[in-house]
Amino acid sequence: MNDNTCPQKPFRVLSLDGGGMRGLYTATLLNHLAYRFTQQRNCKPLDIGKGFDLIVGTSTGGILACALAKGVPISQISNLYCEQGPQIFTDPMPPKSHYRKFLGWCFRNRSKASNTNHHLRNALKQIFGDTTLEQLHKTRGIALCIPSVKMLKETARVFKTPHNPIKNLDNKYTLADICLATSAAPIFLPMVALDSPTDDKGFDVFVDGGLWANNPVLVGLIEALELCNDNRPIEILSIGTCATHEGDIYQRNEVDKGLKDWQVGAKALTTAMNAQASGSDFMATLLATHLTKLGHPIKVVRLKETAPSTEQLKHLRLDLASTKALDALTSLGNEDGISAFRLCQNPNDHTGQLLTSIFNSMPELA
């Protein structure tokens, strides 16, 4: 039995948003923080995944989550975006201001996704090999939750490691496959067909988890509550992808918009992703406050994002992997990494103290 003189170790959760190429921002931010704490501790590179009991990630955040859970160095993950991104997103959607190019893009991709997932599949296989969710949990002991959408009945789906022994349906899925399933963004990448875990001849079709959980913080909170029914303290670190907010200023007589304005559905997709991310953040924070009052201490911290400049906004699209886009994402990730580490120098800042506690407890990479 625990008492006040022997507090329980917090159950720690890392939550990573979706956002396509903007995952480079997240990887850069984490890399900067890890590097600064490596210097401060005078140690070898840190095993970020081992700093958490549970990692949840959607879409590009799902790729990051799987890599961190497996123990892939964060610098190698950043290289995936920089080196493989241009081969993955070969046909980015032109901005709506380039009307002729946009029409050409629409015609060219009228009956297919704008990019194949062949190169992404190969890149994921190079990183993860044939490692399954069962093998990952057995060797690393880190719980993993990766949201997707099962298209048969258009239902939410979360791929999980067997951290709850009675929930082992996903054991044989490979990390590469679930990364494809969670990141299959409509319009930009094809849907993904995976062999059924219960039928040797069957298969299931999946699409991007960002359609319902682009910010998966609620997935992480609920899973943590399932695993911590003894009121063990829960600490959640939530990180976004510096999402662009392309809200326009509308006149009363300008609210009837068509396919061009909604960019044949692409803007509806990004609007839904942004709205879901902000809503989940608010709900998770509110739930944490009330559950803490009821005796189950929960902290939810979401790192603040620098507001991109007008010029940077042009390059922060989920399917854009140009040199300027990569530079902008790297710069913004480093800038917000600096800001986050600066909070750690303030003993009265709860975000900084949570980060300090998490990164000081991380082991070194093996």
Side-chain angles (χ1 to χ4, degrees), residues 224-225 228-234 288 291-298:
L225 288 169
C228 300
N229 53 15
D230 57 352
N231 283 358
R232 179 181 174 185
I234 296 171
L291 288 170
T292 298
K293 290 179 180 178
L294 293 172
H296 196 154
I298 299 174

Side-chain angles (χ1 to χ4, degrees), residues 270-280:
T270 56
T271 299
M273 290 165 61
N274 289 341
Q276 187 279 330
S278 64
S280 290

Side-chain angles (χ1 to χ4, degrees), residues 2 8-13 220-236 284-300:
N2 294 293
Q8 290 179 289
K9 178 183 176 183
F11 184 91
R12 286 177 169 154
V13 182
L221 174 55
I222 292 168
E223 194 71 15
L225 288 169
E226 283 280 308
L227 297 171
C228 300
N229 53 15
D230 57 352
N231 283 358
R232 179 181 174 185
I234 296 171
E235 296 177 347
I236 302 177
T285 302
L286 189 63
L287 275 172
T289 300
H290 285 287
L291 288 170
T292 298
K293 290 179 180 178
L294 293 172
H296 196 154
I298 299 174
K299 296 178 182 177
V300 178

Side-chain angles (χ1 to χ4, degrees), residues 131-170:
T131 301
T132 65
L133 284 167
E134 181 181 33
Q135 292 168 341
L136 174 74
H137 191 254
K138 184 176 181 180
T139 57
R140 294 274 290 171
I142 300 170
L144 196 63
C145 288
I146 307 296
S148 186
V149 175
K150 190 174 180 178
M151 289 301 291
L152 179 63
K153 293 185 178 180
E154 298 180 342
T155 51
R157 178 71 159 84
V158 180
F159 295 101
K160 298 181 181 182
T161 49
H163 46 271
N164 183 340
I166 66 172
K167 295 183 179 180
N168 52 22
L169 181 66
D170 301 332

Side-chain angles (χ1 to χ4, degrees), residues 21 79-89 119-120 123 126 321:
M21 279 302 302
N79 289 339
L80 168 68
Y81 291 97
C82 294
E83 296 175 5
Q84 308 297 333
Q87 282 73 49
I88 294 169
F89 293 109
H119 198 90
L120 176 58
Q126 289 178 9

